[in-house]
Amino acid sequence: QVQLVESGGGLVQAGGSLRLSCAASGRTFSTYAMGWFRQAPGLERGFAAGISRYGVITEYADSVKGRFTVSRDNAKNTVYLQMNSLKPEDTAVYYCAATTFGVRRTPVSYDYWGQGTQVTVSS
């Protein structure tokens, strides 16, 4: 079992930046690839970014590529999502998730989920 807790969300103006953190419990954090997903009101939960167990491989949705950066610090049991040049369409609840299968882009592939943190980008 692993518990995930997101933080760092908030209200930001378009063009601004936020850094989300996801803190994990347990001693096996490095065995999990991690993903960031987001869900806007009325829409399905979608993939934003993912990172392999040791951070060698990263993947991004086309909509965030070049603006978002996912990273991790296994010594701190934490994964990050640096979000730059934010747009109103980035507004969503952001979730981190853990999978033993390496980076996947589908929510059903993930075993553990955080509670989510709200990101709101104003025009």
Side-chain angles (χ1 to χ4, degrees), residues 2 11 13 16 22 32 37 46 52 59 62 79 81 85 87-88 100-101 104 106 109 113 115 122:
V2 59
L11 176 64
Q13 293 179 332
C22 176
Y32 297 95
F37 292 79
S52 61
E59 295 186 10
D62 289 343
V79 63
L81 186 67
S85 301
K87 305 173 181 179
T100 59
F101 289 100
R104 298 288 191 271
T106 57
S109 299
W113 292 84
Q115 83 290 344
S122 62

Side-chain angles (χ1 to χ4, degrees), residues 85-102:
S85 301
L86 283 162
K87 305 173 181 179
E89 50 262 46
D90 295 319
T91 295
V93 177
Y94 283 71
Y95 300 88
C96 68
T99 176
T100 59
F101 289 100

